[in-house]
Amino acid sequence: MEHLQCGDKVAMFSIVKHQELAPKVHRLSVQAPVIAEKAKPGQFVILITDDKGERVPFTISGWDREAGTVDFVFIEVGATTRKLATLGPGDQLAHFVGPLGLPAKIDHYGHVVTLLSGYGLAAMVPILRALKEQDNRITSILQAPDQERLFEMETLTELSDELVLAVGTRGEHMTESATMALRQLLGNHRRVPVDRVIAMCSICLMRVASEMTRPLAIKTLVHLTPVMVDGTGMCGACRLSVKGANRFACVHGPEFDGHEVEGWDVLMARRCTYADESILQQGFQCRGCSQW
Ligand SMILES: Cc1cc2nc3c(=O)[nH]c(=O)nc-3n(C[C@H](O)[C@H](O)[C@H](O)COP(=O)(O)OP(=O)(O)OC[C@H]3O[C@@H](n4cnc5c(N)ncnc54)[C@H](O)[C@@H]3O)c2cc1C
Ligand code: FES
């Protein structure tokens, strides 16, 4: 039997397709049949680009079980995502682990409002598709800094009964336009009830949305992205306080009830610690969440 030496390469994952969806936004399809076989909406992978790479999580935005491929969409914000942007068909990833995390909760709820920004425009697609299969009526609020950075529009239009665009304003005002759209829907709640809100957008917007729906007791699920390292509940990097208990986003999430999440300030501060100043110039409303 051959023994592995430290540094030996044992398995590589081929990139089969690279699409640029918008400036600095890319979709990669990776040959990973075992993950494709098991993936469920809302789960994620952790990859390492090469032997000098870091472990970096990405939400699974699609899969093809027959072809054995898994897709994810990423925004260039730092070293790993900039490196990924240079890769193309035939290039290999050193590690690609998943599916990780709990799948999103899917059922027939009635009228579901989704709040999407950044990579959430694509990563939410499997969840929207599953909600549609359960005959939900879906209103999607899409937030982007400009028209150019609205992507996946055809699919989002197909899967949403109504689309509301919060586009074109920067900084804090952008959050305002998305929250204004939500406020309008909530203001109409007696006439057209909102049965559930699901948010995959900036941490700030998820926090604000959770506070807006709390008085109306509308269940609000948020997809949280604290810094992760191992992705298996061992290192503690992704711990959060939820309903008075320590929770690990990688194994108990990443989807949580926004009304039960505590310590949003800590979550935001820790996520921003490693942010690169340059991402502010890309129109991010705050630093670090890859969600504009
Ligand atoms: C469960 C989960 C799902 C995610 N899904 C997506 C996705 O589908 N598409 C996408 O573009 N981004 C996604 N992210 C965020 C993505 O992991 C970071 O943008 C990426 O790690 C940035 O790495 P970098 O080296 O390019 O940038 P860096 O310069 O290292 O960091 C840029 C920002 O990313 C954050 N970050 C860095 N390393 C990690 C890490 N290991 N875990 C979490 N955040 C980190 C930092 O806090 C910093 O704010 C997800 C994060 C989590 C936790
Ligand atoms: S990433 Fe280590 S416990 Fe979640």
Side-chain angles (χ1 to χ4, degrees):
M1 183 181 158
E2 240 181 275
H3 291 280
L4 291 175
Q5 303 293 320
C6 184
D8 279 357
K9 290 192 172 140
V10 287
M12 298 290 264
F13 299 87
S14 292
I15 292 168
V16 292
K17 200 168 173 189
H18 180 165
Q19 288 169 278
E20 191 161 354
L21 303 178
K24 296 189 188 293
V25 183
H26 310 258
R27 178 179 4 246
L28 287 186
S29 301
V30 179
Q31 194 70 44
V34 176
I35 303 178
E37 183 60 39
K38 296 186 174 162
K40 297 215 172 94
Q43 290 187 297
F44 64 96
V45 292
I46 288 189
L47 63 79
I48 302 180
T49 51
D50 52 44
D51 53 3
K52 294 198 172 57
E54 292 180 353
R55 300 171 65 84
V56 177
F58 295 102
T59 309
I60 298 171
S61 65
W63 55 84
D64 181 333
R65 296 204 208 279
E66 257 177 46
T69 55
V70 172
D71 297 355
F72 66 95
V73 167
F74 66 94
I75 301 183
E76 290 179 52
V77 290
T80 303
T81 43
R82 281 198 281 267
K83 163 88 186 175
L84 285 171
T86 67
L87 303 180
D91 287 329
Q92 312 271 325
L93 298 173
H95 293 272
F96 196 72
V97 179
L100 298 168
L102 296 178
K105 289 165 202 75
I106 305 289
D107 208 333
H108 175 76
Y109 303 114
H111 181 204
V112 180
V113 172
T114 67
L115 275 168
L116 312 178
S117 75
Y119 67 79
L121 298 183
M124 189 72 166
V125 164
I127 298 177
L128 291 176
R129 193 160 276 135
L131 287 168
K132 211 65 213 147
E133 280 165 13
Q134 294 297 322
D135 212 17
N136 289 287
R137 192 173 108 68
I138 299 172
T139 301
S140 297
I141 302 174
L142 315 184
Q143 179 187 270
D146 45 48
Q147 291 286 344
E148 251 189 315
R149 280 179 278 184
L150 272 181
F151 52 90
E152 213 67 313
M153 287 305 286
E154 211 178 306
T155 313
L156 291 170
T157 307
E158 177 200 322
L159 294 174
S160 308
D161 296 274
E162 194 188 352
L163 278 187
V164 183
L165 304 184
V167 179
T169 46
R170 288 177 181 254
E172 284 165 17
H173 300 297
M174 194 161 65
T175 306
E176 260 173 38
S177 52
T179 49
M180 254 161 54
L182 180 61
R183 191 170 297 126
Q184 272 182 6
L185 288 166
L186 297 180
N188 215 10
H189 178 54
R190 277 171 185 268
R191 224 168 44 81
V192 185
V194 174
D195 299 299
R196 179 165 286 231
V197 173
I198 308 177
M200 196 185 281
C201 49
S202 61
I203 299 180
C204 344
L205 182 52
M206 290 194 276
R207 178 184 192 173
V208 171
S210 301
E211 289 316 318
M212 288 170 70
T213 55
R214 192 191 293 276
L216 298 167
I218 298 169
K219 185 97 163 168
T220 299
L221 294 168
V222 291
H223 284 252
L224 298 182
T225 55
V227 171
M228 291 185 179
V229 180
D230 69 314
T232 61
M234 301 294 284
C235 70
C238 68
R239 73 186 174 281
L240 310 158
S241 176
V242 179
K243 223 178 160 185
N246 264 339
R247 286 284 172 265
F248 299 127
C250 64
V251 289
H252 301 119
E255 187 182 72
F256 290 96
D257 184 331
H259 299 160
E260 294 179 352
V261 174
E262 294 150 3
W264 286 95
D265 287 332
V266 178
L267 181 64
M268 287 158 80
R270 291 176 72 207
R271 187 73 162 80
C272 296
T273 303
Y274 306 101
D276 181 334
E277 282 297 316
S278 70
I279 69 171
L280 273 180
Q281 291 152 18
Q282 293 177 35
F284 284 86
Q285 60 181 346
C286 78
R287 284 180 281 178
C289 47
S290 336
Q291 295 287 59
W292 290 322

